[in-house]
Amino acid sequence: MISGEKILVTGVGGMVATPIALALAKNNEVWGASRFSDPAKRQALEAAGITTRAVDIGSGDYSNLPDDFSYVVHSNWMRAGIAELELAIRNNIEGVGLLMQHTRRAKGTLVMSGMPIYSPNPDPMHLFTETDPIGASGYAYAPTSPYSKAGVEAVARFCARAFDMKVTIARLNSVMGPPHSFPAQIIRAVLADRPVQAPYDPNMQSPIHSEDMAWQVEPLLEAASNPAFVVNWGGDEHMSVQDWVAKVNAWSGKHAVVEVRTVPGAPIANPADPTLRKSVTGPCRTDFWAEFRRMYDEIVAAHDFGANTNLSGIEIKK
């Protein structure tokens, strides 16, 4: 793991960035930037040794942030409806450029993108590769995402060349591990007898565990280059939402169903080819089904079957 460095993690209050920041803080000076709408979360990060700063990334005002970070992990993201497109452009697209300008002295910058950037493919088993077409998908739950992701990547690539920066752009897949991750939502839906809606059968995924993300940050930062290095950031295993529901049904004795609801213009599946990422990081260290079972046991023990926020384009009906 990286040690003795000064690292900025943005979006540090979110599900994706928090485990990364906590892991890096064990051996580094970590600063976390976020809006911090939840004071308790900020206090917990400070207690873990992370220096926090409330920052509006899209404002361009970084007067409370140093500019001498060794590394930057940019995970800040605003999910927005189409009526908020202008705000999404300001925060997501302009924001990444302004931040990278401010931190251009960094040895390496990791910019989070995501699978919504890929144009749909009619084959649900198709593993998206980094050279597949981008920018022509539509997500009902976050219709600005495909455009914002493309904008983020374009600006990050520009900054790499304009400011002579080494950059990695990581296209994130579904995340598992945190209590409100997408697989955890599926588990809760089944246990609460709520049907799950998916855009296709099978709706394939390539989830990556937050523990794998934490240690893979270092090799992904080391792979940063100019021009920017673009890579899928997902797990090594591929399975469908239908598989998840069937497994929880078998464990719990429930009979939850997956209702297929096509969303015009949206991808029917989400699996990513891990070949390029594995050439940089090596294989993932967690086993999906073992971690999925552990998460199931924890949710059952806590009797935590409440409603959850949709994270991945598949609606969990309440």
Side-chain angles (χ1 to χ4, degrees):
M1 180 60 71
I2 297 173
S3 63
E5 302 287 1
K6 186 175 182 178
I7 303 173
L8 173 65
V9 180
T10 70
V12 73
M15 179 185 70
V16 171
T18 296
I20 292 174
L22 292 173
L24 290 171
K26 294 177 181 178
N27 299 296
N28 300 278
E29 178 187 349
V30 175
W31 290 58
S34 178
R35 288 182 178 273
F36 289 115
S37 57
D38 184 352
K41 185 169 292 185
R42 183 174 186 177
Q43 292 169 6
L45 291 168
E46 290 275 359
I50 297 171
T51 301
T52 64
R53 291 291 184 269
V55 177
D56 176 3
I57 296 295
S59 71
D61 179 7
Y62 310 129
S63 55
N64 62 351
L65 280 180
D67 62 0
D68 61 344
F69 294 104
S70 305
Y71 295 102
V72 176
V73 178
H74 179 58
S75 178
N76 188 82
W77 183 256
M78 174 191 174
R79 180 178 291 121
I82 199 66
E84 299 175 297
L85 179 60
E86 286 294 326
L87 192 57
I89 291 173
R90 172 189 181 274
N91 291 338
N92 296 334
I93 301 175
E94 295 175 6
V96 69
L98 292 166
L99 181 74
M100 290 179 70
Q101 181 184 39
H102 181 74
T103 60
R104 59 188 179 274
R105 296 165 56 190
K107 295 186 290 186
T109 298
L110 172 62
V111 176
M112 299 268 192
S113 181
M115 294 299 292
I117 197 170
Y118 286 113
S119 300
N121 189 288
D123 179 6
M125 308 304 291
H126 173 75
L127 299 182
F128 288 97
T129 66
E130 290 80 2
T131 56
D132 275 343
I134 66 172
S137 65
Y139 280 70
Y141 78 105
T144 64
S145 283
Y147 318 113
S148 289
K149 298 293 186 186
V152 164
E153 293 196 12
V155 171
R157 292 171 68 151
F158 165 79
C159 287
R161 298 179 64 186
F163 303 135
D164 193 23
M165 299 175 68
K166 291 185 177 180
V167 176
T168 291
I169 298 171
R171 293 171 175 168
L172 188 60
N173 208 283
S174 301
V175 176
M176 75 167 298
H180 296 291
S181 61
F182 183 41
Q185 290 191 41
I186 298 298
I187 292 171
R188 290 189 181 92
V190 174
L191 293 176
D193 298 305
R194 296 194 304 269
V196 175
Q197 291 184 347
Y200 200 79
D201 185 2
N203 178 238
M204 300 298 293
Q205 306 285 327
S206 302
I208 183 166
H209 199 284
S210 56
E211 291 181 3
D212 284 314
M213 293 180 66
W215 69 261
Q216 288 179 12
V217 163
E218 179 174 11
L220 288 176
L221 282 169
E222 290 177 347
S225 62
N226 180 5
F229 173 58
V230 180
V231 64
N232 289 332
W233 203 3
D236 300 343
E237 303 169 85
H238 316 292
M239 72 293 292
S240 69
V241 168
Q242 285 82 0
D243 293 332
W244 298 350
V245 171
K247 189 70 73 172
V248 179
N249 278 338
W251 291 336
S252 65
K254 298 287 187 176
H255 302 282
V257 298
V258 181
E259 300 173 348
V260 174
R261 188 184 70 175
T262 302
V263 179
I268 61 175
N270 197 42
D273 189 333
T275 303
L276 181 59
R277 192 223 78 227
K278 289 171 70 175
S279 73
V280 171
T281 68
C284 290
R285 299 172 184 173
T286 62
D287 175 80
F288 174 83
W289 289 114
E291 292 300 316
F292 191 70
R293 177 67 201 216
R294 182 182 62 80
M295 194 158 47
Y296 167 84
D297 289 338
E298 290 175 353
I299 291 171
V300 169
H303 203 71
D304 178 16
F305 311 151
N308 296 280
T309 303
N310 173 27
L311 294 182
S312 199
I314 298 175
E315 179 183 350
I316 299 176
K317 297 177 70 176
K318 300 178 182 179

